[in-house]
């Protein structure tokens, strides 16, 4: 596996792959790799001639300076892991390499898609995401790019970005990989102490609680039930629980004639803010 830190070098390498007729799979990450990332890398390695992984903790998408400063950085360990999953190139640039001058950021607008949930609570977050994803897509020129359902709103934003800017690539989304107790794997989980780690699965439990109530209780009652449950778990502070349309991510007030919903949650546990979601096919929900 080749490790590339320079923009000029990744451009050359990508050019060579493209001229050689190789298909390129791309997995953008912020590192501190876990099974959720590895699933995407393995899929890419299977479906493409060449797999490129980027590790870049992107400063422009953090709206909380402490979160950026304390985000886990484990590049040596990540490099070793990547060698085991068929990754061909690791692109790990410095912030100065990616953002050479202090320039005003481009302003993206995603309309209603960014007015809810993460977009509403993390001002500027998706603008930073769209900026880095656009830059990386230009540098890596992938045929396929792999993202996780764990960041459902990010997938929707990137899908719109690809469509609006006519990026010539296929977006591939894989389901959320979880720990045995249901906690969605996340690089930020490493910042939880033992006690916090014990209560972190309550986000997933809240989602499952809501799932069990769908079509049996009105949306408002389900929301109140989830809020009451999380309030009962000491050490967890709920930011939002939302029942949303999976493609527009707008709130669903009545699920009567709805086929599928996304149940989305964000909560603070100790020093970190965690998010999670599940998709529920309402045709499979049994009403008793
Ligand atoms: P990150 O390094 O957190 O920016 O994540 C890089 C990619 O991995 C994103 O597309 C995430 O959605 C995806 N990802 C992160 N955690 C998981 C997980 N538990 N399951 C599946 N995909 C994930």
């Amino acid at each position: 596996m080749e490790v590339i830190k320079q923009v000029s070098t990744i451009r050359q390498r990508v050019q060579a792959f493209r001229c050689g007729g190789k298909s390129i799979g791309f997995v953008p990450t912020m590192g501190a790799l876990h099974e959720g990332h590895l699933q995407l890398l393995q899929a890419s390695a299977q479906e493409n001639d060449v797999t490129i992984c980027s590790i870049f903790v992107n400063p422009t998408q953090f709206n909380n300076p402490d979160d950026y400063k304390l985000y886990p950085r484990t590049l040596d360990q990540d490099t070793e892991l990547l060698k085991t999953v068929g990754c061909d190139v690791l692109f790990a640039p410095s912030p100065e390499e990616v953002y050479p001058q202090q320039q005003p950021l481009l302003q993206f607008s995603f309309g209603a898609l960014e007015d809810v949930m993460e977009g509403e609570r993390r001002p500027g977050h998706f603008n930073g995401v769209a900026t880095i994803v656009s830059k990386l897509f230009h540098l890596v020129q992938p045929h396929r790019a792999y993202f996780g359902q764990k960041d459902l709103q990010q997938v929707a934003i990137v899908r719109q970005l690809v469509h609006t800017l006519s990026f010539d690539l296929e977006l591939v989304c894989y389901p959320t990989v979880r720990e045995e107790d249901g906690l969605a794997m996340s690089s930020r989980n490493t910042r939880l102490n033992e006690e916090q780690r014990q209560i972190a699965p309550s986000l997933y439990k809240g989602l499952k609680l809501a799932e069990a109530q769908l079509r049996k209780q009105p949306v408002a009652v389900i929301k109140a039930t989830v809020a009451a449950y999380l309030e009962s778990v000491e050490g967890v502070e709920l930011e939002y629980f939302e029942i949303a349309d999976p493609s527009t991510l707008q709130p669903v007030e009545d699920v009567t004639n709805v086929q599928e919903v996304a149940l989305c949650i964000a909560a603070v546990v100790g020093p970190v803010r965690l998010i999670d979601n599940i998709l529920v096919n309402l045709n499979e929900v049994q009403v008793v």
Side-chain angles (χ1 to χ4, degrees), residues 28-31 34 36-37 39-40 71 147-148 150-151 154 175-177 185:
T29 82
M30 299 205 296
H34 50 68
H37 299 115
Q39 159 189 244
L40 303 179
Y71 196 88
F147 288 82
K150 157 86 178 5
D151 300 281
Q154 173 171 277
T176 303
V177 178
M185 289 193 183

Side-chain angles (χ1 to χ4, degrees), residues 28-208:
T29 82
M30 299 205 296
L33 301 179
H34 50 68
E35 286 294 327
H37 299 115
L38 300 187
Q39 159 189 244
L40 303 179
L41 286 151
Q42 276 156 342
S44 172
Q46 262 181 15
E47 295 165 12
N48 302 279
D49 297 324
V50 171
T51 288
I52 301 178
C53 174
S54 65
I55 294 185
F56 180 61
V57 184
N58 174 37
T60 64
Q61 73 186 69
F62 283 80
N63 54 318
N64 174 342
D66 270 353
D67 190 26
Y68 176 64
K69 204 167 66 192
L70 298 171
Y71 196 88
R73 290 161 169 90
T74 56
L75 190 60
D76 291 346
Q77 203 178 306
D78 292 347
T79 307
E80 290 312 305
L81 263 179
L82 285 171
K83 290 179 188 167
T84 68
V85 287
C87 181
D88 301 288
V89 175
L90 164 59
F91 179 49
S94 66
E96 296 72 30
E97 185 68 15
V98 175
Y99 298 107
Q101 299 118 8
Q102 285 285 341
Q103 286 171 332
L105 272 189
L106 283 177
Q107 292 302 312
F108 292 83
S109 174
F110 294 98
L113 210 48
E114 63 178 345
D115 289 343
V116 293
M117 300 192 286
E118 295 304 286
E120 187 185 0
R121 265 76 173 192
R122 301 184 65 188
H125 170 64
F126 286 124
N127 206 68
V129 168
T131 304
I132 190 61
V133 169
S134 302
K135 274 174 170 277
L136 290 170
F137 282 174
H138 281 301
L139 293 176
V140 173
Q141 295 179 40
H143 296 84
R144 294 188 189 85
Y146 294 80
F147 288 82
Q149 187 202 310
K150 157 86 178 5
D151 300 281
L152 188 70
Q153 197 169 3
Q154 173 171 277
V155 176
I157 293 274
V158 173
R159 182 165 290 124
Q160 193 165 317
L161 181 78
V162 166
H163 182 72
T164 308
L165 293 183
S166 308
F167 281 107
D168 187 15
L169 58 86
E170 182 191 343
L171 207 61
V172 188
C173 181
Y174 270 81
T176 303
V177 178
R178 301 180 179 282
E179 304 285 355
E180 261 175 33
D181 57 11
L183 174 64
M185 289 193 183
S186 163
S187 306
R188 290 186 177 88
N189 292 351
T190 57
R191 296 188 51 213
L192 300 170
N193 68 23
E194 215 171 297
E195 210 174 301
Q196 292 154 353
R197 173 64 188 81
Q198 294 262 314
I199 55 174
S202 58
L203 276 79
Y204 183 61
K205 287 186 190 148
L207 294 176
K208 296 302 278 183

